[in-house]
Every structure is written in structure tokens, then in C-alpha cells.
Amino acid sequence: MIPPSPVTLSAALGVVEFAATVAFAVSGLLAAANKRLDAVGVSVVAGVTAFGGGTLRDVLLDRRPFYWVEHAGWLWGLLLVCAGAMVLLRTRHFAVTRRALLWPDALGLGLFTANGAQLALDQGLPAVVCVLMGVITSVFGGVLRDVLCNDVPAAFSDHQPYAICSFIGGWVLLGMHAAGAPLLGALLATTVVTAALRLIAVRLDLALPPWNAGDER
Amino acid sequence: MIPPSPVTLSAALGVVEFAATVAFAVSGLLAAANKRLDAVGVSVVAGVTAFGGGTLRDVLLDRRPFYWVEHAGWLWGLLLVCAGAMVLLRTRHFAVTRRALLWPDALGLGLFTANGAQLALDQGLPAVVCVLMGVITSVFGGVLRDVLCNDVPAAFSDHQPYAICSFIGGWVLLGMHAAGAPLLGALLATTVVTAALRLIAVRLDLALPPWNAGDER
Amino acid sequence: MIPPSPVTLSAALGVVEFAATVAFAVSGLLAAANKRLDAVGVSVVAGVTAFGGGTLRDVLLDRRPFYWVEHAGWLWGLLLVCAGAMVLLRTRHFAVTRRALLWPDALGLGLFTANGAQLALDQGLPAVVCVLMGVITSVFGGVLRDVLCNDVPAAFSDHQPYAICSFIGGWVLLGMHAAGAPLLGALLATTVVTAALRLIAVRLDLALPPWNAGDER
């Protein structure tokens, strides 16, 4: 196998991070609008959902500059998306359903899992830490969103498989690298497996085991 | 224009940061006392409100030492202020009104906006990131305060202009630097504009547009 | 006095950090189980309680690698503990009482106080900052736990001495070093004093003064 050049690596990761960011911004914006925050609050929560997981990952990995510093133009993009959504939601009586959130959120989960685990792998961190960085990158944007909205994070309390899909997806990435798969293939497979697991779990209404046998859910 | 020497720059920023810290400590202390936290909780919340925004800014900009490490004496100052306020609030029946919080809070907002945006500018970051660092420095102390107090951050939900004043103030700083204004003038103008916008907005009872047309506020 | 070799220092601190981590993981796990989070949520909250204070300390002190990166095996240990506890709690009707949390929590408080203050001291930080780092290391794991569980942090609101025991313990460490005590003795004394203060305070039902005279508790 010919190792990918650093340029290819960087470009592939950049595309993955961009797509995941957009997916999460939309997911965060819709969730915050549902909470009836004001216009500033919706924009901030959308931004934190989009960039929070990646920023936490970068703080933990001591990476600089952040994605949103290197690509500062996307901050304008975020503001435009928020302003556009605001006009759209005002004029049409657009009902924001959980269903509408599902697809972009599953996609962002998969993309950030691949991105976070790959970046940790590039630093030579232990396998379990790489997988955990994928989970942190993909899940903690939503956790910060819920903390700002003063909710118990849905990822920890709704008994739907979410973080665990990212956890499994991270091991797919490590397994494919161990098997010598090309970088782009490994990133793509990780994204698809993670998102598919999430979508299947929701479709089949799978539930995590409750902590106590006596729990009503 | 003669560029300011590093010493002048450093001294000016130091004064700004000190004044903003005191203003926010008082604001945080009064808010926490209203929540009836215990003495430790009030001191911690006052400290987080005062130093939280600047510490988050320094973590994001990878700056060390923190303000409260470099000027460790101010930690003692904070404890003294808390102890003093505790005695004062116990002996007199001092009603802490929203009105009493308004002025120090608006001042802190303006001072930290100038300080945060200037520090990011010194690192050569893009304009929109500099403005955002001003907003993070000035607003996220209060956001952390509200998260610790288990409230939805007021900055995102009370429909009063707050973060947006900081956002506008940040552009004043960048505009004045682009126009070749002296450093101290730019810092002062930013502080005054931001604080004035906040005070005017509260006086005139301006409200951010609600997110949905159908929102009751 | 012969100064301890770096190896001894590192080993002693490692043992202290390990023991404190286990104590807090158990404490966090029991607390999260009480909140009826799902299996993922309990594991994450246990992990954040165990590693959160130390990770926040390392981010503030700009130390890398984190404890859980350097000793990645303990992440597996954490998952095993969570899985084991899950089975145990399901089969037996094990009532998790506040009493069961008291001892591991007090021990973790003491151990992390010693560890955090010592690490800050090694960086040559001012005395009050060292003491504060001990408090942050020992208390903020629990604060993050409560924030994730959407509670006002117990450390700030339950009027029981907790952070203040860590604060006093930190000064014991600094005092013993100033008096030329050996490293291990200073760490041990700090741990014992802090944990004992906490246990005595709970046993005697001591309460922090309420903030306002008019407060009912």
C-alpha cells in the first residue's frame, strides 16, 4: 500500500470536518429553536453544537489553530445559516420535528467519529484513547448544547444508542488501519458504519439497558 | 502614528483586565447571593464569573499564565470582597436588585470586550475571530455562572441585547485600529460603546426578536 | 533533608492519583446510578467524575499527556467497573445511600487535594494558586458530575464543608514543605487532614454559614 501524502490526509480530514460541522450546526439550530431561546442564543447554541466537540477535542489534544479559527469564514456561514433559518421559520409555519433532526445528526455523528479518532491516531495515542476522542468529538457538541439549554444531556439519559454507535465506529477505524486499508476508505467506512448503526437503532427502536432492573423508562 | 511600546500595551491591557475583573466579581457575587448558595458557593461563583471568561479565552488562545496566576494576590482580594460582602449583607437588610447589577455588569462587558478582542488581534487572528474572542471573554463568565447555578444562561434567553453589544463593540475596536487610532483610544472607545449600548438597550427596554413569530415572550 | 529523586516524586504522585481516581469513579458511578441515567450515561458520568478534576487541572497547568492518556488501561478498568456494578446492582436490590458515598468521596477529596497542589507547586506557582489547584482537582470532578446531571453543584449549595476541607488541606501541604518535611509525609498528611476534616464535618453535622441571615436552610 502506498501511504497517502500529508496533503491528501489533510484535505480528506478537512472535507470530513466541514461536512460534520454543517450537519451539527443544523441539528443544533433546530434544537435551540425548539427551546425558544432568543436569536443570539440560537446562534450561539448552533455554533457550540457545531464547533464544541471539535474544540474540546483540540483543547484535549493541544492542537491549534481551531477549525473555526483556521476557517474563520465558516463563522460567517454559521451566522448566515442562522439568519436564513430565522426568516424561513418565521414566514412558514415550519414544525421542527425530532425526525427532521435525525439524519443530519446521524451523519455528523459518523463524520466527527472518523475525524476525531483519526486525529488522535495521527498523534500516536493508544487505541482506546483514539476511540474515546472520536466519541468526545462527535458527542460532546450535543452534550454542551444540552448543558447550555439546561437539560440532562440526551446522549446520557434517553436510552437510545448514540455514543455507543460512535464507540463501535471508532473501532472500525482502528481495525481498518490495522488491516492496512487506505485512509479514505477507513474514514468513509467509519462514517457509514456509525451513521448506519444510529439510524438502524432509531428505526428499530432499540434501547440501552436501563441501569437498574426496577427502572421504569 | 507612533506604535505604542509593548510596555504601554501591556500596562493598558492590564488595567483594563483588572477593572473588568472587579466589575464581574461584584456582579457574580450579587447574583450568587440571590440564589442562596452557601458561602463557598458564592465565593466560587463570584470567582468563576470574574475569571471564567478570561480563563476560557486564555485556554482557547493557548496563553499562559492566566491572569489569576500572574496576579495571585487578586485571589485574596476576591476572598476579602466575598467575606466583606457577606458581613455587609448579613447586618444590613440589603436587597440585591437587578438594577444594582446593571452598571458593573455593563462596565465589565465593555472592558472584557476590549481586552479579549485586543489580545486576539495581537496574535494576528482573523477579524471575526477577534470579535468572537471579545464576546467569549465578556459573556462566558456569566454563562458559566448561570450553568453553575443551573439556569439557562440569561445571555441566551432573556431577549435583552447583551452579547450583541459586545459583538458591535468588537467591530469598533477593529475599525479604529484599521483607521490608525491610538491603542488606548481604541480600547476606551470600545469599552464605552459596548457599555453604552447595553445601558441604552436596558433603559429603552429593547428586545431581541423572538426566534419564532408565534413565541410569547 | 535529602530532596526526593524525580523517580520517587513521580511514583508517589502516580500512586496518589490512581487511588483518588478509583475513589471518585465509584463515587460518580453510584451518584449517576441514583439519577437513573442509562448505561452509557452512568459510564460517562463515572469517568467525568473520576478524571474531570484532574483533566481540568492539566488543561489549566498545560500538562500533557493526561492521566487517562498515559494510563489508557485504566479506561478499560473504568468500563469494567461500570459493567460489574451494573450486574451487581441489577441482581441484588442494592440501595445506594448517601452514607455509602461518604468514605470513597472523602478519600478522593484528600488524595486529589494533595496531588493537585503538589503538581502546581512543582511548577513553581504562587502558594494561593497551588492551594486553588488542589481544590479544583478535588472538587471540580464532582462539579462537572452535577452539571451533567443538571443539578446545582452540591459542593456549592448543600452547606456542608467540602471544598473548604480541601482548601485547608492544601495549606497543610504548603506548610509542611515550608517546614522541610519529606515529600511522602507531606502528601500523606495532606490527604489524611483533608479526608478527616470532611468526615468529622459530616459526623458532627457542621454547616457552612448561610449567605444571608434570613436564609432558611
Side-chain angles (χ1 to χ4, degrees):
Chain A
M1 191 195 83
I2 302 163
S5 74
V7 174
T8 310
L9 176 76
S10 168
L13 285 175
V15 169
V16 168
E17 183 138 27
F18 166 61
T21 300
V22 171
F24 269 161
V26 172
S27 150
L29 184 146
L30 295 179
N34 261 357
K35 290 284 290 189
R36 294 172 173 263
L37 298 190
D38 60 34
V40 167
V42 170
S43 303
V44 172
V45 170
V48 167
T49 311
F51 298 113
T55 302
L56 180 58
R57 174 205 64 210
D58 286 348
V59 167
L60 294 176
L61 294 180
D62 213 6
R63 293 176 74 238
R64 297 289 187 295
F66 296 125
Y67 182 76
W68 48 273
V69 170
E70 203 172 359
H71 304 89
W74 292 114
L75 293 173
W76 288 114
L78 178 73
L79 284 179
L80 281 180
V81 167
C82 288
M86 196 164 174
V87 172
L88 184 75
L89 291 181
R90 269 167 171 281
T91 49
R92 296 177 40 192
H93 233 330
F94 184 71
V96 183
T97 60
R98 292 204 105 197
R99 203 171 185 71
L101 291 175
L102 181 62
W103 274 83
D105 198 65
L107 193 63
L109 186 75
L111 291 162
F112 268 137
T113 298
N115 168 275
Q118 180 66 46
L119 285 170
L121 203 59
D122 291 344
Q123 290 199 358
L125 297 179
V128 66
V129 173
C130 293
V131 171
L132 202 64
M133 282 296 166
V135 175
I136 288 173
T137 309
S138 60
V139 173
F140 271 74
V143 169
L144 290 175
R145 173 197 67 205
D146 293 342
V147 166
L148 287 181
C149 290
N150 204 21
D151 290 325
V152 176
F156 302 158
S157 59
D158 69 358
H159 292 85
Q160 288 187 350
Y162 188 76
I164 211 167
C165 304
S166 166
F167 189 78
I168 295 170
W171 288 110
V172 169
L173 187 82
L174 270 85
M176 290 191 68
H177 278 300
L183 175 66
L184 278 171
L187 290 176
L188 193 64
T190 303
T191 303
V192 169
V193 167
T194 304
L197 282 175
R198 170 65 177 164
L199 292 171
I200 290 168
V202 172
R203 182 63 56 96
L204 297 186
D205 207 15
L206 296 182
L208 292 175
W211 180 260
N212 282 324
D215 268 14
E216 71 277 17
R217 293 220 326 275
Chain B
M1 190 194 86
I2 301 164
S5 74
V7 173
T8 310
L9 177 76
S10 168
L13 285 176
V15 170
V16 168
E17 183 138 28
F18 166 62
T21 301
V22 171
F24 269 161
V26 172
S27 150
L29 184 145
L30 296 179
N34 261 356
K35 289 285 289 190
R36 293 171 172 264
L37 297 191
D38 59 33
V40 167
V42 170
S43 303
V44 172
V45 170
V48 167
T49 310
F51 297 114
T55 302
L56 180 57
R57 174 204 64 209
D58 286 349
V59 167
L60 293 177
L61 295 180
D62 213 4
R63 292 176 74 239
R64 297 288 188 295
F66 297 125
Y67 183 75
W68 48 272
V69 171
E70 202 172 1
H71 305 89
W74 292 114
L75 293 173
W76 288 113
L78 178 73
L79 284 178
L80 282 180
V81 167
C82 287
M86 197 164 172
V87 172
L88 183 74
L89 292 181
R90 269 167 171 281
T91 48
R92 297 177 38 192
H93 234 330
F94 184 70
V96 182
T97 60
R98 293 205 104 198
R99 203 170 185 71
L101 291 175
L102 181 62
W103 273 83
D105 198 65
L107 194 63
L109 185 75
L111 291 163
F112 269 136
T113 297
N115 168 274
Q118 181 65 46
L119 285 170
L121 204 59
D122 291 344
Q123 289 201 358
L125 297 181
V128 66
V129 173
C130 294
V131 171
L132 201 65
M133 282 296 166
V135 174
I136 288 172
T137 309
S138 60
V139 173
F140 270 75
V143 169
L144 290 174
R145 174 198 66 204
D146 293 340
V147 167
L148 288 181
C149 290
N150 204 21
D151 289 326
V152 176
F156 302 158
S157 59
D158 69 358
H159 292 84
Q160 287 188 353
Y162 188 77
I164 210 166
C165 304
S166 167
F167 189 78
I168 296 170
W171 288 110
V172 169
L173 186 81
L174 270 85
M176 289 191 68
H177 278 300
L183 176 66
L184 279 170
L187 290 175
L188 194 63
T190 303
T191 304
V192 169
V193 167
T194 304
L197 282 175
R198 169 65 177 164
L199 291 171
I200 290 169
V202 172
R203 182 64 56 97
L204 298 186
D205 206 17
L206 296 182
L208 292 175
W211 180 260
N212 281 326
D215 268 14
E216 72 275 18
R217 294 219 326 275
Chain C
M1 190 195 85
I2 301 163
S5 74
V7 174
T8 311
L9 176 75
S10 168
L13 286 175
V15 169
V16 168
E17 183 137 28
F18 167 61
T21 300
V22 171
F24 269 161
V26 172
S27 150
L29 185 145
L30 295 179
N34 260 356
K35 290 285 290 190
R36 294 170 174 265
L37 297 191
D38 59 34
V40 167
V42 170
S43 303
V44 172
V45 171
V48 167
T49 310
F51 298 114
T55 302
L56 179 59
R57 175 205 63 210
D58 286 349
V59 167
L60 294 177
L61 294 180
D62 213 6
R63 293 177 73 238
R64 299 286 188 295
F66 296 125
Y67 183 76
W68 48 273
V69 171
E70 203 171 0
H71 305 89
W74 291 115
L75 293 173
W76 288 113
L78 178 72
L79 284 178
L80 282 180
V81 167
C82 288
M86 196 164 175
V87 171
L88 184 75
L89 292 181
R90 268 166 172 282
T91 49
R92 298 177 39 192
H93 234 329
F94 184 70
V96 183
T97 60
R98 292 204 106 200
R99 204 171 184 70
L101 292 175
L102 181 62
W103 274 83
D105 198 65
L107 194 63
L109 185 76
L111 290 163
F112 268 136
T113 298
N115 168 274
Q118 181 65 47
L119 284 171
L121 204 59
D122 291 344
Q123 290 200 357
L125 297 180
V128 67
V129 173
C130 293
V131 171
L132 202 64
M133 282 295 166
V135 175
I136 288 172
T137 309
S138 60
V139 174
F140 270 75
V143 170
L144 290 174
R145 173 197 68 205
D146 293 341
V147 167
L148 287 181
C149 290
N150 204 21
D151 289 326
V152 176
F156 302 156
S157 59
D158 70 358
H159 292 85
Q160 288 188 352
Y162 187 77
I164 211 166
C165 305
S166 166
F167 189 78
I168 296 170
W171 288 110
V172 169
L173 187 81
L174 269 85
M176 290 191 67
H177 277 300
L183 175 66
L184 279 171
L187 290 176
L188 194 64
T190 304
T191 303
V192 169
V193 167
T194 304
L197 282 175
R198 168 66 177 163
L199 291 171
I200 291 169
V202 171
R203 181 64 55 96
L204 297 186
D205 207 16
L206 296 182
L208 292 175
W211 181 260
N212 282 325
D215 269 15
E216 72 276 18
R217 292 221 326 276

